[in-house]
Amino acid sequence: MNWDTIFKEIKGKHDFTEMDSFLEEAYETKEIYPARENIYNAFKYTPFDKVKVVILGQDPYHGPDQAHGLAFSVKNGTKLPPSLRNMYKELEEDTGCVRQTGELTGWAEEGVLLLNTVMTVEKGQANSHRGIGWETFTNEVIKAVSDEKEHVVFILWGKPAQSKLPLIDTTKHHIITSVHPSPLSAFRGFFGSKPYSQTNDYLKAQGLEPINWCKEVVMHEK
């Protein structure tokens, strides 16, 4: 099984013509993030057979030079957004790992699928592409990972991510939940939740290689 096969199956079940038309016009007439060639980077950097962990985000960052197709990640050299800063704070507390850049391509290459449930956004307009069809697509992706794989860790931060629980077979996968790492909620249970060491403890218990959360890789764009 690979992403191409899964995408063909999804497109055989659902009609994305309206979404495709919407995005075509949006990219031609507005500032949309991420760049069109980066929309599917989560799948490019984490092949289906390598997926060990799924971290769900909502929609891409809507500021310039931030989003590049991986949830929570920002392009190298960009200031850390508040949620990512809190993720790194917990990472250091949990594992001792101190990261230098906001780009999470290294995590993606380790097998962490960094999936936004809505995969595009208009500049300065959070959630502007909610409801155009992305949720149908990403719900099917989540189901495919759940159905076709086993012993995957799903990290669900916040209620929107946790609303995807019915798509996941919890009898063969490991679920980690807490409040979102945003400044509005991080102090209500994200800090101290130890998601990174929890993930690796589970993977090791299944005889799988743990994630190197310290791995730094900078994506080289064309």
Side-chain angles (χ1 to χ4, degrees):
M1 186 65 74
N2 57 44
W3 289 126
D4 284 344
T5 303
I6 289 166
F7 295 165
K8 283 175 188 169
E9 289 180 359
I10 294 172
K11 288 177 179 177
K13 291 167 66 177
H14 302 280
D15 182 0
F16 293 102
T17 308
E18 284 190 22
M19 184 176 83
D20 291 342
S21 299
F22 176 94
L23 290 171
E24 191 69 33
E25 182 179 354
Y27 272 98
E28 286 179 4
T29 60
K30 299 172 181 174
E31 190 79 22
I32 305 298
Y33 302 130
R36 200 184 305 216
E37 65 271 17
N38 291 337
I39 294 174
Y40 295 97
N41 272 348
F43 309 108
K44 174 182 175 183
Y45 289 100
T46 313
F48 186 77
D49 64 337
K50 303 292 187 188
V51 175
K52 297 178 183 177
V53 181
V54 177
I55 299 181
L56 291 183
Q58 292 182 56
D59 65 341
Y61 297 118
H62 51 80
D65 296 317
Q66 291 183 308
H68 64 104
L70 304 179
F72 293 103
S73 180
V74 291
K75 292 180 182 179
N76 186 40
T78 303
K79 182 181 176 183
L80 296 186
S83 292
L84 184 57
R85 196 160 55 239
N86 286 339
M87 287 165 59
Y88 281 8
K89 186 175 179 181
E90 176 64 15
L91 178 65
E92 183 177 0
E93 188 69 29
D94 185 13
T95 68
C97 177
V98 179
R99 294 183 60 86
Q100 302 300 316
T101 76
E103 186 172 321
L104 300 177
T105 309
W107 287 7
E109 292 184 352
E110 283 286 294
V112 182
L113 182 66
L114 295 160
L115 181 66
N116 280 316
T117 54
V118 174
M119 296 180 66
T120 55
V121 70
E122 184 178 341
K123 178 182 179 180
Q125 305 289 324
N127 296 315
S128 51
H129 287 184
R130 181 191 289 170
I132 69 167
W134 280 125
E135 294 92 340
T136 300
F137 174 74
T138 54
N139 281 354
E140 291 284 2
V141 167
I142 294 165
K143 280 182 64 179
V145 173
S146 175
D147 293 348
E148 300 294 335
K149 298 184 72 73
E150 57 183 18
H151 306 315
V152 173
V153 180
F154 287 84
I155 299 179
L156 310 177
W157 290 324
K159 288 181 180 176
Q162 289 159 25
S163 73
K164 306 299 182 181
L165 259 172
L167 303 172
I168 303 165
D169 183 346
T170 57
T171 67
K172 62 174 182 169
H173 301 293
H174 186 62
I175 313 297
I176 295 175
T177 62
S178 78
V179 297
H180 196 274
S182 77
L184 295 173
S185 57
F187 287 95
R188 298 203 305 269
F190 175 74
F191 291 133
S193 62
K194 302 186 181 300
Y196 310 102
S197 60
Q198 272 196 67
T199 295
N200 281 351
D201 287 346
Y202 174 80
L203 293 174
K204 286 185 281 188
Q206 306 305 320
L208 300 169
E209 278 291 312
I211 303 298
N212 176 8
W213 298 106
C214 297
K215 184 175 180 181
E216 299 264 10
V217 174
V218 174
M219 178 177 67
H220 298 290
E221 295 190 53
K222 294 177 183 176

